[in-house]
Amino acid sequence: MAKFKPGDAMDLALCAALKHEYLRCSDAFEEFRHVAEKMIMEGENRRIAFRTYNAYARFIRHLYEFLLAATQRDRNDTAQLDHELADKYVHSIAQRVLSKRREAILNGTAPTWENHISAFPEQVPQDFASRFRRVRNTALGHAKPERHRLSLTTFYHEFHKFLYMIYVDSMWMWGRVDDDFPDLGEITAFSVMIKDDPPPSA
């Protein structure tokens, strides 16, 4: 892993990865929203629960990976963070976003559709970041027996508001897509079509 400077080749490559990860997060959230609405309208069953769980697990995974990459960019260093340091950064990001949301409500600059201040605690729960990381690892990261016992429902009810605030706060910078979709290097150059280099004939 390497240190880098803002605007250099490594920084630009990391920005492309950040954009890609946020757009994946956005795709997962939109799928989650769609299937969750279907669950509400049509009722619960195992198949719709399976689809809703999978979409939400992908949202969690991509949001967490996005935050780790954003932290690398803030540090100008692509070195992998250990769990304790990653938890500190994720918690601080969540607290910054929460405080900004509360300040906007209190000073009257929040949009008219914003929730009442009582919907937002002053502090992010201390176990938010570690729970976020463990759920990300268990629900999608690693196929372990713990997945059978993990209540994603409980995590959703306790922490979704913080995930959603982070997701929305990052949208203005990383979620914008113009008519001309961004060039993400080999990510957006991917193709299953045979072009200039067809396989040799038998």
Side-chain angles (χ1 to χ4, degrees):
M1 299 304 168
K3 294 186 179 296
F4 59 89
K5 294 180 181 179
D8 69 11
M10 180 68 76
D11 185 38
L12 294 177
L14 182 57
C15 284
L18 270 161
K19 183 78 168 181
H20 182 218
E21 203 62 27
Y22 188 85
L23 294 177
R24 293 167 109 183
C25 179
S26 183
D27 280 354
F29 182 80
E30 288 305 311
E31 183 182 350
F32 166 69
R33 187 178 59 77
H34 173 74
V35 292
E37 287 176 359
K38 188 172 182 179
M39 175 183 280
I40 293 167
M41 297 299 292
E42 299 179 11
E44 298 180 10
N45 60 62
R46 289 177 183 168
R47 188 176 300 277
I48 194 67
F50 170 80
R51 292 184 61 206
T52 308
Y53 178 104
N54 289 345
Y56 195 61
R58 284 195 300 276
F59 169 68
I60 288 170
R61 172 72 181 266
H62 293 309
L63 184 61
Y64 190 84
E65 293 300 322
F66 169 80
L67 292 178
L68 291 186
T71 297
Q72 288 180 332
R73 188 158 192 252
D74 286 345
R75 291 164 50 91
N76 296 322
D77 191 342
T78 60
Q80 187 173 355
L81 302 175
D82 63 41
H83 291 160
E84 288 185 9
L85 194 54
D87 287 352
K88 287 179 181 177
Y89 273 101
V90 169
H91 188 275
S92 68
I93 291 168
Q95 185 61 54
R96 176 182 52 79
V97 172
L98 172 62
S99 297
K100 187 166 76 171
R101 183 73 65 99
R102 285 179 55 85
E103 287 167 14
I105 296 169
L106 292 172
N107 67 26
T109 59
T112 56
W113 44 259
E114 182 59 276
N115 290 321
H116 187 268
I117 189 68
S118 61
F120 303 99
E122 290 187 23
Q123 300 293 324
V124 173
Q126 284 301 314
D127 63 341
F128 165 71
S130 60
R131 292 273 298 279
F132 186 8
R133 172 173 48 81
R134 288 197 297 270
V135 166
R136 167 259 196 178
N137 290 344
T138 304
L140 195 66
H142 309 299
K144 295 182 175 181
E146 290 82 1
R147 188 179 297 173
H148 180 259
R149 298 187 300 273
L150 171 73
S151 176
L152 198 56
T153 303
T154 300
F155 179 83
Y156 174 84
H157 287 294
E158 291 181 4
F159 297 112
H160 177 69
K161 72 169 66 176
F162 303 109
L163 300 188
Y164 185 70
M165 280 190 284
I166 294 168
Y167 169 68
V168 170
D169 188 71
S170 303
M171 190 179 296
W172 71 272
M173 182 168 182
W174 299 103
R176 292 179 300 177
V177 175
D178 300 326
D179 292 338
D180 187 18
F181 199 86
D183 180 359
L184 302 177
E186 286 299 322
I187 298 164
T188 45
F190 175 77
S191 176
V192 296
M193 303 296 290
I194 298 172
K195 297 179 180 177
D196 300 330
D197 190 21
S201 57

